[in-house]
């Protein structure tokens, strides 16, 4: 059984897949507590569903792109089986993870979107660094949420140290309402790094409190 907060179809709001129609499976629970977390409603509650029941709901959307997210999806062991089942049925699967759990056992057909937590999140110490070594060019993506200049300097150092911009798509995402977007754009453009500043498209369409659209 999986504990599931919501299953819905919308457009993808982040990553290089932004704007594409996407089915979302949002799983319940997360061991982290990022200061700026925008999905605290996933920390508790949820509905217990079998993997078959989740698959049945996903099929009703007729959408080939599926994101498994949370919460922290990799906190539930059955999530790995769900990802395998989705891949087995031919879906293009994105797995959005906060970077605390190892991605080693995720089905290699799925695409990982991996957070690296910066200092202002309060969860920097819990990054599972070996995940960076598993990023695959042209497939996986790594995301830094930036809340202030210190976060940007931290992200820049990690990107340079691990040569992330040579090995995967790198997403630079402003923490909602916490940082001047023009300043962040200036830092990114002046950096010389091959990274991508992204905005959370769904929040501009439906507002910051959006869920399940
Ligand atoms: S890892 Fe994600 S879901 Fe968990 S607290 Fe941080 S932002 Fe929220």
């Amino acid at each position: 059984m999986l504990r599931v907060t919501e299953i819905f179809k919308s457009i993808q709001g982040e990553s290089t897949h932004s704007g594409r129609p996407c089915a979302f499976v949002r799983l319940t629970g997360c061991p982290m507590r990022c200061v700026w977390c925008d999905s605290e409603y996933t920390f508790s509650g949820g509905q217990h569903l079998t993997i078959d029941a989740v698959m049945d709901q996903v099929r009703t959307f007729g959408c080939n792109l599926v994101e498994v997210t949370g919460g922290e999806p990799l906190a539930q062991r059955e999530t790995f089986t769900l990802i395998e089942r989705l891949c087995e049925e031919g879906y293009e699967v994105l797995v959005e993870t906060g970077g605390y759990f190892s991605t080693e056992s995720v089905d290699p057909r799925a695409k990982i979107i991996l957070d690296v937590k910066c200092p202002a999140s309060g969860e920097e110490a819990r990054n599972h660094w070996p995940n960076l070594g598993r990023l695959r060019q042209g497939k996986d993506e790594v995301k830094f949420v930036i809340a202030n200049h210190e976060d940007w300097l931290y992200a820049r150092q990690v990107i340079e140290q691990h040569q992330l911009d040579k090995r995967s798509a790198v997403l630079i995402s402003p923490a909602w309402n916490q940082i001047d977007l023009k300043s962040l754009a200036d830092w990114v453009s002046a950096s010389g790094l091959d990274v991508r500043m992204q905005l959370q498209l769904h929040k501009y369409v439906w507002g910051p409190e959006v869920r399940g659209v």
Side-chain angles (χ1 to χ4, degrees):
M1 296 286 261
L2 282 161
R3 200 147 62 93
V4 181
T5 295
E6 55 189 0
I7 302 175
F8 60 98
K9 182 181 176 188
S10 184
I11 56 166
Q12 178 58 250
E14 303 191 61
S15 81
T16 64
H17 303 277
S18 180
R20 296 180 63 193
C22 184
F24 291 83
V25 179
R26 190 184 300 285
L27 297 165
T28 308
C30 181
M32 300 222 260
R33 290 294 179 268
C34 302
V35 169
W36 36 253
C37 180
D38 59 4
S39 45
E40 291 170 315
Y41 61 91
T42 66
F43 290 170
S44 59
Q47 190 184 2
H48 286 94
L49 293 175
T50 63
I51 289 175
D52 283 340
V54 174
M55 294 296 298
D56 284 347
Q57 286 198 47
V58 168
R59 285 187 204 105
T60 63
F61 298 128
C63 183
N64 189 56
L65 182 66
V66 179
E67 176 168 302
V68 179
T69 185
E72 172 49 68
L74 302 186
Q76 299 187 52
R77 288 179 59 183
E78 291 80 0
T79 301
F80 295 87
T81 308
L82 172 67
I83 294 167
E84 276 173 33
R85 289 278 304 275
L86 289 164
C87 292
E88 209 56 54
E89 288 204 16
Y91 290 104
E92 181 181 357
V93 181
L94 309 177
V95 179
E96 172 127 19
T97 173
Y100 173 62
F101 290 99
S102 171
T103 58
E104 193 173 9
S105 301
V106 175
D107 190 302
R109 294 170 289 188
K111 299 174 181 177
I112 304 289
I113 301 173
L114 174 73
D115 281 8
V116 173
K117 299 301 183 190
C118 295
S121 72
E123 293 287 22
E124 166 204 354
R126 302 177 83 185
N127 287 314
H128 183 71
W129 296 110
N131 283 338
L132 294 182
R134 281 187 278 276
L135 291 167
R136 297 160 299 175
Q137 180 73 272
K139 189 154 192 171
D140 299 326
E141 308 187 7
V142 59
K143 180 175 82 172
F144 296 82
V145 176
I146 308 294
N148 55 34
H149 193 241
E150 185 193 359
D151 275 0
W152 165 248
L153 295 177
Y154 177 86
R156 188 178 170 155
Q157 184 208 326
V158 173
I159 293 164
E160 289 175 343
Q161 184 182 342
H162 296 271
Q163 298 193 311
L164 294 180
D165 58 334
K166 311 272 186 304
R167 298 173 35 222
S168 80
V170 179
L171 311 167
I172 304 295
S173 191
W176 183 260
N177 264 348
Q178 293 198 34
I179 188 166
D180 176 57
L181 297 181
K182 290 177 186 160
S183 297
L184 182 57
D186 287 344
W187 302 336
V188 168
S189 66
S191 70
L193 296 172
D194 185 11
V195 299
R196 176 189 300 248
M197 178 172 162
Q198 67 160 16
L199 302 177
Q200 293 174 295
L201 181 60
H202 50 295
K203 291 188 180 174
Y204 289 87
V205 176
W206 289 287
E209 305 302 328
V210 64
R211 56 176 284 188
V213 294

